Each structure stands twice: as C-alpha cells, then as structure tokens.
Amino acid sequence: MAGVTRQAAAIEGGTGLAPGRPRRLPAGPFALVVPGLLLLVVFFALPVLALLLRSVLEPEPGLANYAALIGSGTYLKIFFNTFLVSAVVTLVSLAIGFPVAWTLAILPPRIAQPIFGVLILSMWTNLLTRTYAWMVLLQRTGVINKSLIGLGLIDAPLPMVNNLTGVTIGMTYIMLPFVVLPLYGVIRRIDPAILQAAALCGASRFQALRLVLIPLVAPGMAAGALMVFVMSLGYFVTPALLGGTANMMLAELIAQFVQSLVNWGMGGAAALVLLVVTLALYALQLRLFGTAGLGGR
Amino acid sequence: MLLQFDRLGWWRWVLVGITGLTVVYLLMPILFIAALSFGSSQWLIFPPPAWTTRWYGELFADPRWLESAWVSFVIACVVAVLAVAIGLAVAYGLVRGTFRGREALKAFFLTPMILPVVILAVALYALFLRIGLNGTTTGFVIAHLVVALPFAVLTITSALEGFDKAIEDAAILCGASPLEAVVRVTLPGIAHGLFSAAVFSFLASWDEVVLAIFMASPTLQTLPVKIWATLRQDLTPVIAAASTLLIGLTILLMLLVAVIRRGSRS
C-alpha cells in the first residue's frame, strides 16, 4: 500500500509542474566522497607534506639541505643523469611510437588488432618481470650479444647493462605503449580528405607528411612526449636494476638517503625537487593540452 | 593518401618494417623468459641444452616463494574490494553531486597517479615507522589502496558518466527508494565498470614494487619484493619460472576483461 502511494506521489511529482524532483540519496553526494577523501588526506597528502617539511627542519631549521644538494658535484651529476635518461627515453619512444601508431591507424583491423594485443600485454606484464627479461637478454653472455657475435657483427660482447644503453632499452620498452596508444587516437581522428586535398593541390607524399600530417599530429606527440618525460623522471625500479651505480637517477637517490643513510632532511629535499619538477611539467601539460593526456602511471 | 595503406607506395614497407621490429621488441622478452624457464641451463643460455621443469619444482618447493605469492594475493584481493567500495562511493558523489569544489576534488583524487611513487613510498614509510605499520598486512593494504584508488575512481566515474541518469530517476518514479534504485538499477548498469575497476585495483596492488620495498619486513614480503630481493643477488632461472607464471596470470586476466567488455556491449 505504502509503495503504491509513494509511486502515485512520485508520478504526480514527476509530471513536470509540481516541484517534486526525484529525491537524492539521504546523506547527500558529498558524504559519499568523505571516506575516500579521509584516506587520501591521512595517508597521502599529510605524509608527503610532512616529508617535505623535514627537508627544511632536519637536522636543524634552514635551507642547508638544499645548499648541500646544489653544492655537490655528485648530486648535480645525478640530476643531470635523470634528465638525460628521461630525454633519451622520450626521444626514442617518440621515434618508434609515431611510425607504429601511424601503421596501426592504416592497417586493416584484422592485422592491427593482434598488434594492439601485444602492446597491451606488454603494458600489463609485471614491471619486474620485464626488467628481469632485459637483464637476462642484455648481459654479456646474453642472447643479443651472442647473436651479434654469431652474425660476425661484433668481436667482443657489447656492454649493455649497467649503463645508459641498458636503461634506455628497458625504459623505452615500458613507455612505448604510453606513446603509441594516444598517438593512434590522434591519427585516427584526422580526416583523410585533408590529405587528399593536399595531394590534389600537388603536394608530394613527403610534402604532405611534412606540411599536413606532422603538424596535425604534433600536439599529440608533444603531449605524449611530456608524459613519458615526467614518468621517466620519477622511475625507480628499472634504472636501479639496469642502470648500475654510475647512472643513478633521482628516485634512487631519494630511496638511498632514506633507507641506507637515514638522512630524512636530504631525502625530503631531493623529493621536493622531484615533486616540483613533476608538478610544473604537469601544469604545463594541462595548460597546453588540457586533461586529455593524463592517465598513465 | 598518407592514411591509406595501399597508396603509400614503398613507404608502407618502411612503416611495416618498423612496426614488425617493434612487435619483436615487445614480444621478445616475454617469449625468451617463458622459453628459458623450461631450459636446463643455470646460466640462462638460449637455446637451452635441454628442457626441464626443474625450476618450477624449485619454485614450488620453496615455502618463501609460495608464502610471498599468497601474501600478495590476499593483499591484492582486499585492496580490490576496498578500492571498488570506496571508489564507487567517491565516483557516485563526484558524478551526481553538485557541491562546490567538485572539479578540484576530482583532480585531488587522481594526484596519487601522477606523483612519482617513490615520494609516496618514502613519506608513508616515515609515517608507518612512527605508528608501527611497517611490515604489517594493514600497512601494505593502506599503501596499495592509495595507489589503487585513483584507478578505481577513474574507471567507475567514466562508467557512471556513460550510464543514463534518467533510468535511475525512472526507477525512483516507479516507487523505488533512491538506495534501491542505485543498488538494483545503477549498479547492474555499471557492472562492467566495477569489474574493470576491481581488476585494475587488483593488478595495481599485485604488481606494486616501490611501496612494497619500503613496507616489507624480513618476515612479510609480497611477491614483487621477493623477486626484487632475489634479482639483486643473481639471475636464477627460478625467477624466469615465477615470471612465466605471472605472465600467464596476466594473459588470463586480460582475456577475462576482454570477454566481460564484449559481454557488456551486446
């Protein structure tokens, strides 16, 4: 009975003239956000702020930790190396990613589909598994060195782990899907008629590429590049395993300050540098491309 | 013309070549690890001199591997359930709510995704040292929940945005209470989104290394920490066996998500 009455009232209310819009959940939408918000404030925002505060409070209040970071050649080399590795990984990812995304966009779906499968499989495969695979493949007695020697291309094994080559190969492998997938989306949205128009106006293939296709894809390339660069800056596992001590990156330095040296002040200072660079680049990305490029890990 | 395969002339072979090499680049590590896990050589030589399942035997005979896999599994399941529950509440509030600061809140919920995870790891490590959560299951669950929640919120938000609110309103007009309408109409409508959110959250926890390296204790470590610790000592084929099992699990989960997505579309 009560149900019928409520139904009747609701239908009356819903006919448009009366003010009775369907009721919201009793507690209101904001209350629903609270548990998640509390979790992130207590276990994310506050601990990160506390860490950054320690950089100016420990061992004594002041900017001594930052002075030490900037004043030391060792740390400057690590900053430089972090940017160098990220830049190289970004460039290589783009150089491979653009042709692959282009090919995927023009291949018939029957052929493109399995390639997407491979891309997504590699993206979902455990990070340590992928890094371990490269450690095995790239070692002195690994398959790649043996094949190159077997083919007579080199005489002695190439050093490919514990250096920039190793990190670049391992990290590009991880970043490639983050370039290919967004670029594919951009290329698919281009109207082929524009390129036909270019051809009708007498453009050669190379001119059409340089003057029409690349300018249309450029925003997508820039967004992808910025994202890969930022993600690379903070990477820890792959550089630690494939890079060796001479190629330390910022994330590893932070971990080392805290875990081995128990120097929270320096750890916090290095974390703040990484955080500021990351957020500044994301702000740039939002400013230039909107939220479209966000969403990677 | 540049977007039509058969009108690219010889260029298309350059593109096909690069793409083919990239597929090799992407597949090679996965295939080699799987092959080497069945090879008899301790030194991971390819092609292996003989085939064996010895490394799988060693893997399953070592209680520490099994224990860390079990710990990882339990933590990932708890994280998936909590992330979907909290993520659903957050997503519903963000999509249906009209309160002020909604956009800023939405951005805040995604920040753990863009912040370098090492910063979060160090910050949580400091906090957990103080409140005694390092090396505990609770600590792992909390840490992994922080990184899994953005994925859950993002996935469920987009599922909710794709679900027509008019259907929910219609249920209320037909006499359902708002809660009934959500539980019996909206939730089934976004079930595929909830499922994807659960899988992503599970994987976010299951595969998580950096936080886990800081949270782990000698007596409690997840599978990635066990792999990490073993890797730093030597490249034993036992890791190849563990990796192959992980890759198998990944393929299974991918197929599951694909099947569910196909099912939800038809």
Side-chain angles (χ1 to χ4, degrees):
Chain A
M1 278 298 280
V4 176
T5 323
R6 197 166 64 197
Q7 198 173 342
I11 289 172
E12 245 167 66
T15 44
L17 296 172
R21 286 189 50 201
R23 289 154 298 171
R24 297 201 172 282
L25 280 180
F30 182 74
L32 289 169
V33 181
V34 171
L37 191 60
L38 273 180
L39 178 84
L40 287 195
V41 168
V42 175
F43 293 110
F44 171 65
L46 291 179
V48 169
L49 284 179
L51 174 70
L52 302 180
L53 266 182
R54 292 176 88 162
S55 75
V56 286
L57 293 177
E58 290 182 20
E60 54 217 26
L63 293 174
N65 289 320
Y66 293 95
L69 266 189
I70 298 169
S72 148
T74 321
Y75 301 144
L76 285 181
K77 190 174 170 279
I78 291 173
F79 288 133
F80 173 76
N81 191 53
T82 307
F83 282 97
L84 176 73
V85 168
S86 304
V88 171
V89 168
T90 305
L91 287 180
V92 177
S93 302
L94 268 191
I96 305 175
F98 174 58
V100 171
W102 184 7
T103 318
L104 283 172
I106 58 173
L107 278 178
R110 194 167 41 84
I111 305 171
Q113 216 68 48
I115 303 179
F116 275 114
V118 171
L119 263 175
I120 290 166
L121 174 67
S122 87
M123 202 158 101
W124 277 36
T125 303
N126 182 287
L127 178 69
L128 278 171
T129 298
R130 290 182 277 175
T131 307
Y132 165 72
W134 284 113
M135 289 168 79
V136 172
L137 282 166
L138 296 175
Q139 61 183 329
R140 285 180 67 83
T141 54
V143 180
I144 294 181
N145 264 322
K146 286 221 161 150
S147 318
L148 289 176
I149 293 174
L151 288 170
L153 291 172
I154 52 172
D155 297 324
L158 294 173
M160 288 188 291
V161 273
N162 296 332
N163 57 25
L164 185 62
T165 317
V167 191
T168 306
I169 294 175
M171 278 182 64
T172 304
Y173 184 80
I174 289 158
M175 298 298 171
L176 207 48
F178 294 101
V179 179
V180 173
L181 297 176
L183 266 184
Y184 168 80
V186 172
I187 297 175
R188 278 305 291 262
R189 279 198 297 274
I190 294 175
D191 187 352
I194 298 174
L195 288 156
Q196 268 157 10
L200 285 176
C201 294
S204 69
R205 283 203 193 89
F206 183 68
Q207 280 173 322
L209 178 70
R210 195 168 55 88
L211 298 171
V212 184
L213 188 62
I214 288 185
L216 283 173
V217 180
M221 295 239 271
L226 209 50
M227 188 158 98
V228 169
F229 187 76
V230 181
M231 283 166 67
S232 304
L233 283 180
Y235 245 67
F236 174 69
V237 168
T238 311
L241 289 175
L242 284 168
T245 39
N247 289 279
M248 199 192 269
M249 285 175 68
L250 202 42
E252 213 186 335
L253 180 70
I254 297 172
Q256 214 173 61
F257 273 137
V258 169
Q259 274 198 314
S260 329
L261 306 172
V262 202
N263 188 337
W264 289 93
M266 289 297 277
L272 183 78
V273 172
L274 179 58
L275 185 75
V276 166
V277 177
T278 303
L279 291 182
L281 289 173
Y282 268 117
L284 183 70
Q285 170 130 7
L286 277 176
R287 182 94 190 238
L288 293 177
F289 314 110
T291 48
L294 297 182
R297 190 153 59 127
Chain B
M1 52 168 183
L2 287 178
L3 292 177
Q4 284 155 302
F5 184 71
D6 41 7
R7 293 182 61 180
L8 266 172
W10 60 269
W11 277 33
R12 64 183 152 173
W13 303 119
V14 177
L15 287 179
V16 165
I18 295 174
T19 307
L21 284 176
T22 306
V23 170
V24 172
Y25 174 50
L26 290 173
L27 272 183
M28 186 169 58
I30 295 172
L31 294 179
F32 268 100
I33 288 308
L36 289 175
S37 75
F38 290 104
S40 60
S41 164
Q42 173 113 41
W43 312 112
L44 296 159
I45 289 163
F46 192 89
W51 302 97
T52 171
T53 53
R54 181 184 150 195
W55 311 114
Y56 290 90
E58 280 193 20
L59 183 69
F60 285 107
D62 185 343
R64 285 167 307 172
W65 279 103
L66 295 182
E67 203 189 317
S68 60
W70 176 246
V71 165
S72 273
F73 180 75
V74 171
I75 291 171
C77 286
V78 176
V79 167
V81 170
L82 289 177
V84 170
I86 301 174
L88 173 64
V90 169
Y92 196 88
L94 287 177
V95 172
R96 296 282 194 261
T98 46
F99 49 86
R100 272 174 43 179
R102 209 167 51 101
E103 285 304 312
L105 255 185
K106 218 177 199 169
F108 176 64
F109 274 106
L110 300 184
T111 33
M113 224 147 108
I114 60 171
L115 196 84
V117 70
V118 73
I119 296 180
L120 176 64
V122 169
L124 271 183
Y125 177 63
L127 176 70
F128 284 3
L129 275 182
R130 202 156 294 180
I131 59 177
L133 279 180
N134 270 324
T136 66
T137 320
T138 316
F140 271 114
V141 168
I142 292 173
H144 285 179
L145 195 53
V146 171
V147 288
L149 191 61
F151 288 96
V153 169
L154 196 67
T155 315
I156 302 174
T157 303
S158 71
L160 264 178
E161 276 166 351
F163 181 80
D164 190 353
K165 186 174 184 300
I167 303 174
E168 200 177 297
D169 290 343
I172 296 175
L173 286 176
C174 292
S177 73
L179 188 64
E180 258 179 305
V182 170
V183 172
R184 297 182 53 186
V185 178
T186 312
L187 289 191
I190 58 166
H192 65 285
L194 295 177
F195 180 78
S196 307
V199 172
F200 286 140
S201 308
F202 179 91
L203 277 178
S205 166
W206 175 258
D207 279 347
E208 206 291 319
V209 204
V210 182
L211 289 164
I213 290 171
F214 282 86
M215 304 302 144
S217 71
T219 49
L220 186 75
Q221 43 182 226
T222 58
L223 190 55
V225 178
K226 173 75 183 148
I227 299 180
W228 164 269
T230 314
L231 264 185
R232 302 216 107 182
Q233 288 158 15
D234 72 314
L235 299 175
T236 159
V238 176
I239 304 178
S243 299
T244 308
L245 292 179
L246 285 181
I247 295 166
L249 185 77
T250 307
I251 295 176
L252 268 180
L253 281 176
M254 271 176 65
L255 290 176
L256 204 62
V257 170
V259 166
I260 299 268
R261 284 211 175 139
R262 193 158 296 173
S264 76
R265 230 179 276 146
S266 56

